[in-house]
Structures are given as C-alpha cells and as structure tokens.
Amino acid sequence: MSTNPAAAFYAGSGAARTVGAALRLLDRLAPTWGTRGALRLFFTPMPWKFAMRRPLPRPWMAERWAFEGTTLAWYRRGDIADERPVVLLVHGWGGSGAQMLALGDRLAAAGFDPVLLDFPGHGRSGAWRSTLPQFARALFAAAARLGPLHGVVAHSLGALAATHAAARGLPVERLALLAPSAPPAAFLEWFAHSFGLAQGLAARMRAQIERREGVGLAEFEPAWLGARVTQPVLVLHDEGDRVAPHAASVRLAASLPAGHLVSTRGLGHRRLLDDAQVAAGVLEHLQADGRGAAPMALPQR
C-alpha cells in the first residue's frame, strides 16, 4: 500500500509532528509510559466531537441513555409509529450519528424506523475517548433498548464493530457495511508508523488493549468473523478510499457466507453516506426477501 490510512487522522500537521516527537522521547525514556501515552492518543477520536456536532432538523429528536459511566446520544424521528422495523445507523471513528441523517430519512420514507447512534466520545455522547470493543458493546446496549433489530447500517470503524457484534450474537437480521475499516491490528501498525514510533510499540499497544478490553483483536479479523456471521451482509466500498482500504472489504466479504461486495468509484470514504445510489442499494438490501438475496450492483462511476 503506497499510503498510510492512519495519516488521515493523526499526521500531516505541526501539532501531530510535535506529539510524535514527544511520544518518541517518552518511549525511549520509559517504554511503559510511552505505551500509555500512545494508547491515550489512539483512543481519542479525531476530530474532537464538538467539530462533528450538527443541528438536528425536524422531526429528528435527541435523547440519551446511561452507558458504562457516561451517556450515549441517539436520534429518532418523532413522526414514526412504534411498530415499524427498527434499523440502527452508526458512524465511524471521529464521526457522528448526524452523518447518517440522509440515509435515515431515506429509510423512514421506505417504512423503517431509523435510529442514529453516537458512540462514546463522539457527537453528543459523553466521554472523550473510546475503543472498538466499546463500540460493539454500545450496539448491544442499543439493541437491548430498541428490541431485535431489522438491520444495522454502519460506516467505517462502526461497520467493523457491527460485524463483531453480529458474530457475538447481536439480534439483527441484516447488515449493511459502508467502507468498513481494516482490522485493528493493521491500524495499530499504521498508527505507530505515522508518528515514527519504535518498532514493537504496536505490539505493546495491542497487548494492553486486549488485557484492558478482554477481547482478542484476532476477533476482528475476517477469518474469525466469517465463521460466525450468518446474516446477509451488504458491503459497499469505494475503490479509491484512502482511509479504509478497499482490499479489506474484499477479504471481509469473501469470508462471509452471505456477504456481497459492491464497489464504487469516485466517492471516497465519506461521500458514500450522502450518495443516492448507495442509499438505494442499502434500502434494497434491507427490503430483500430471503436470507440469501443479494442486491443488484450499483453503477460504477
């Protein structure tokens, strides 16, 4: 790969270079503290959540749930009857549920009850830091509140969390994954490289994460997920995505018994969320009859 996907979040600015220099010095002097400092940065969403907050148009309304010592913000339309099938929409790292408003409106018009969620440390939710395993736990908390889910539509790191939650038994009938992130073990290596950190720091970070979260990062790899996710899964990914490599979706979709990959061009990582043809593909997937039904391919740009 010619580019480092982690650079989209952490590199390219004077502040990032200063942080990188400080982390390198700390790691040389005290590797334990260097690992802690790197993890603190790794768990902090960029950009900060205030930058991603958007006004909510009517009839969308915001509410909050208690979750792991903080709060989760979620958004629901006030003009929808309770008996509709519930579809949960979740964002990626550094994003917010409000990024999914256009998709949510499209699903509401088609007869679904869309619910948008802000993960911890994002949007209007509490806390300043979060982790991928915590994303997955937040999905279980949402399902416990909302009842069995007809579908989950998830972007980027949220898509990886949704796949892991489904593998762990999340009550959901269908998944639509938009530009899912690469497995975290790879991203840890990219993160360390983007700051010029010592070789081996990524392995120390991984060990700390697994010990703290009680989840092996191997559980986010296609081989582990593919053996456990049986729901129909639509994977939509742009071939030119510089944040989440398209190749990761190729491997993930191939591992899933009912996975179907649709590749686009010219949309990048985030424009997928507002694209009308992507929304049509997601809607077709959610409306499909039969567990193995695959949506038609989207036109290439």
Side-chain angles (χ1 to χ4, degrees):
M1 183 180 301
S2 59
T3 60
N4 181 346
F9 297 97
Y10 302 106
S13 69
R17 288 191 291 272
T18 300
V19 169
L23 283 175
R24 289 192 296 273
L25 177 61
L26 183 61
D27 192 48
R28 284 198 298 270
L29 296 176
T32 298
W33 285 99
T35 304
R36 291 180 183 177
L39 284 171
R40 189 175 181 86
L41 179 61
F42 188 71
F43 292 154
T44 301
M46 299 288 179
W48 281 4
K49 60 185 182 180
F50 292 126
M52 295 305 296
R53 290 183 180 177
R54 301 179 185 178
L56 283 179
R58 293 183 179 179
W60 290 94
M61 299 182 298
E63 296 188 41
R64 285 175 173 81
W65 300 322
F67 175 75
E68 296 190 356
T70 185
T71 57
L72 290 178
W74 59 287
Y75 314 100
R76 203 171 197 171
R77 291 174 59 112
D79 60 345
I80 290 179
D82 291 339
E83 65 270 10
R84 289 188 179 191
V86 176
V87 176
L88 184 65
L89 297 96
V90 294
H91 60 84
W93 191 252
S96 75
Q99 290 177 294
M100 316 292 279
L101 281 167
L103 266 172
D105 286 333
R106 184 73 177 263
L107 294 178
F112 293 103
D113 180 3
V115 178
L116 282 50
L117 181 69
D118 282 340
F119 285 123
H122 294 76
R124 291 175 172 83
S125 288
W128 290 97
R129 295 178 182 85
S130 191
T131 68
L132 174 57
Q134 190 180 42
F135 275 25
R137 296 195 299 272
L139 290 169
F140 278 100
R145 289 265 183 172
L146 300 169
L149 303 171
H150 176 77
V152 172
V153 181
H155 180 234
S156 196
L157 195 71
L160 195 57
T163 311
H164 183 263
R168 285 285 189 175
L170 184 74
V172 59
E173 295 181 25
R174 290 177 169 270
L175 300 176
L177 310 179
L178 310 180
S181 295
F187 206 91
L188 279 169
E189 295 285 351
W190 296 329
F191 170 86
H193 182 72
S194 69
F195 289 106
L197 300 175
Q199 192 172 19
L201 179 60
R204 282 185 271 137
M205 291 173 68
R206 175 173 182 164
Q208 288 285 342
I209 292 170
E210 293 180 333
R211 185 159 46 247
R212 166 180 165 168
E213 298 293 331
V215 178
L217 295 192
E219 291 190 11
F220 296 91
E221 297 286 344
W224 193 91
L225 297 169
R228 293 165 176 84
V229 177
T230 59
Q231 296 93 330
V233 181
L234 170 65
V235 183
L236 282 155
H237 209 135
D238 195 81
E239 293 178 356
D241 193 327
R242 296 184 179 182
V243 176
H246 179 265
S249 279
V250 174
R251 292 191 293 271
L252 177 61
S255 74
L256 299 170
H260 178 70
L261 173 65
V262 175
S263 302
T264 66
R265 294 175 183 166
L267 292 177
H269 188 64
R270 294 180 179 87
R271 290 195 301 276
L272 282 170
L273 299 178
D274 297 315
D275 185 78
Q277 292 179 350
V278 168
V282 170
L283 182 57
E284 184 178 356
H285 177 66
L286 294 174
Q287 292 175 325
D289 294 325
R291 296 186 61 82
M296 63 181 182
L298 298 179
Q300 297 280 327
R301 285 167 172 74

